[in-house]
Amino acid sequence: MRQVRRGGRGGYGSPGGSGPSAPPHRIPPQPSYVDGGDQGYDSGYNTGQVYGRRAGGPGGPDDGHAYGSRPAPNWGRRIKLTAITLVTILLVTTVVTYFWADSQLNREVDLSKVIDRPEPGEGTTYLIVGSDSREGMSDEQKKRLHTGSAAGKRTDSMMLLHVGSNGDTLISLPRDSAVTIPQFRGSESGRLRGPLGTNKLNAAYAYDGPELLVRTVEYNTGLRIDHYVEIGFAGFANIVDALGGVEITIEKGFKDKYSGADFQAGKQTLDGQQALAFVRTRYAFAASDLQRTKNQQKFLSALANQAATPSTIMNPFKLYPTLNAGLDSLIVDKDMSLWDLAAMFWAMKNVSGGDGTSMNMPIAGSSGGNLIWDKAKVRKLMDELRNDQKVTVTGD
């Protein structure tokens, strides 16, 4: 095969070659990039700039941060925003919880049905009632809690709590107190009835419920009741269990087959069943109902003190079960707000902490198994409460 030489002497297209000369190769004119030439053309020439970084990267005149990277976090601002968010959530949760709980209160007692009421005094006075209602309890619960199976409900305990500027005062009203049950307006019929004469205080509740009990207490004390609070056996036990038990110190051990009480002396935590036995026991004591009322005061104050602690209020796993247990079982008057109820518990906490006074209604003696109030002391005590003065009267 014939070899063709290129570009050399005598080669194809060369001056001495045998083939025709090739036309000269022409390079098309290139655009100018000077003085306003085409600015969109990328020659690919690296000017020394590292792509992805700011001019003046490492070693350059700039600070060397990566192009598009976030600045250093402002921890002060983050902490502030987090705190504001948490406070907002807490406030919203608190407000929602308050209105929810307030709407769940069982406002069943109408104090407007009470006639011939005393004039309002200074401070706020609550009538706190523990009933022996077994409503909603199963036979197993009745057996476990030693409540028996009596129909209806009666008052098992009654207390006056006065909240004022000169200290809070908790006064037990023995259920066997001999009092006058005056004329009253029937809670159902609306008709005037009575008077029913002298009887035990708890008979007023048995005759016509909370309204007649309030009427009787006001008539015999001259003190106006601002709010009414009632709780039954099962509700009481449920609240104690929701709190995880209540710690209390028992000075002297005692047993009682009727209430199921069996306690040793010393500090201990009572569950709902034990707490109910503790506050119901009367036959184990020589002072009977008077000692029982003291135990009731002591335990309720301890319960209120534990319910108001940060470990309960700030712990939703304890707070909400306690609220549910209380809201399901408490019966209050139509004007009672959740704020009023909280104020009541706080005052009982103060009494437990030594910032208030707890006592029995002053007793002068007994007659036929009924306790007779000391009229002179009772009159002075009620005057002090009505005028929100420091209590100087003592009771058994």
Side-chain angles (χ1 to χ4, degrees), residues 129-132 134 153-159 171-179 181 199-205 213 216-217 233 279-283 288-290 292-293 296 360-361 363 369-373:
V129 174
S131 77
D132 65 358
R134 296 147 176 92
K153 59 180 182 178
R154 290 151 292 278
T155 51
D156 204 57
S157 63
M158 291 160 284
M159 300 180 190
I171 306 169
S172 286
L173 309 176
R175 70 177 193 172
D176 293 337
S177 299
V179 296
I181 300 179
N199 209 321
K200 292 183 178 182
L201 180 58
N202 66 341
Y205 186 98
L213 179 61
T216 302
V217 171
F233 282 165
V279 300
R280 293 185 61 222
T281 297
R282 62 184 301 194
Y283 296 106
S288 188
D289 205 39
L290 290 178
R292 179 172 68 165
T293 56
Q296 290 170 349
N360 276 319
M361 187 66 88
I363 302 297
N370 295 337
L371 298 173
I372 309 301
W373 292 357

Side-chain angles (χ1 to χ4, degrees), residues 102-124:
D102 187 76
S103 68
Q104 300 300 307
L105 283 175
N106 299 314
R107 297 181 173 92
E108 299 179 8
V109 180
D110 189 356
L111 296 183
S112 68
K113 295 179 180 179
V114 180
I115 63 174
D116 299 334
R117 308 195 67 190
E119 290 296 320
E122 300 293 329
T124 304

Side-chain angles (χ1 to χ4, degrees), residues 49-129:
Q49 176 177 340
V50 178
Y51 291 102
R53 292 187 176 275
R54 297 175 181 171
D62 210 335
D63 59 4
H65 288 296
Y67 180 79
S69 65
R70 296 179 180 178
N74 186 335
W75 289 108
R77 184 171 180 271
R78 289 188 178 186
I79 293 173
K80 183 178 179 180
L81 288 175
T82 301
I84 292 174
T85 301
L86 291 176
V87 170
T88 301
I89 293 174
L90 180 61
L91 287 175
V92 171
T93 302
T94 301
V95 171
V96 171
T97 299
Y98 177 88
F99 284 104
W100 164 78
D102 187 76
S103 68
Q104 300 300 307
L105 283 175
N106 299 314
R107 297 181 173 92
E108 299 179 8
V109 180
D110 189 356
L111 296 183
S112 68
K113 295 179 180 179
V114 180
I115 63 174
D116 299 334
R117 308 195 67 190
E119 290 296 320
E122 300 293 329
T124 304
T125 301
Y126 300 81
L127 178 58
I128 305 170
V129 174

Side-chain angles (χ1 to χ4, degrees), residues 93-246:
T93 302
T94 301
V95 171
V96 171
T97 299
Y98 177 88
F99 284 104
W100 164 78
D102 187 76
S103 68
Q104 300 300 307
L105 283 175
N106 299 314
R107 297 181 173 92
E108 299 179 8
V109 180
D110 189 356
L111 296 183
S112 68
K113 295 179 180 179
V114 180
I115 63 174
D116 299 334
R117 308 195 67 190
E119 290 296 320
E122 300 293 329
T124 304
T125 301
Y126 300 81
L127 178 58
I128 305 170
V129 174
S131 77
D132 65 358
S133 172
R134 296 147 176 92
E135 185 178 352
M137 295 177 65
S138 66
D139 290 339
E140 190 279 330
Q141 286 177 307
K142 293 175 184 177
K143 182 178 180 181
R144 179 171 60 86
L145 297 177
H146 297 270
T147 65
S149 300
K153 59 180 182 178
R154 290 151 292 278
T155 51
D156 204 57
S157 63
M158 291 160 284
M159 300 180 190
L160 287 175
L161 173 65
H162 180 78
V163 181
S165 58
N166 279 294
D168 305 319
T169 305
L170 184 63
I171 306 169
S172 286
L173 309 176
R175 70 177 193 172
D176 293 337
S177 299
V179 296
T180 299
I181 300 179
Q183 186 180 48
F184 64 98
R185 189 178 301 280
S187 59
E188 297 295 333
S189 67
R191 299 176 181 176
L192 290 177
R193 298 177 58 189
L196 301 180
T198 301
N199 209 321
K200 292 183 178 182
L201 180 58
N202 66 341
Y205 186 98
Y207 276 127
D208 200 51
E211 288 85 358
L212 179 54
L213 179 61
V214 170
R215 165 74 172 133
T216 302
V217 171
E218 289 187 342
Y219 180 85
N220 286 271
T221 63
L223 186 66
R224 187 183 180 99
I225 304 300
D226 297 297
H227 292 296
Y228 177 92
V229 181
E230 177 185 325
I231 186 170
F233 282 165
F236 178 79
N238 289 341
I239 291 175
V240 174
D241 286 335
L243 284 170
V246 173

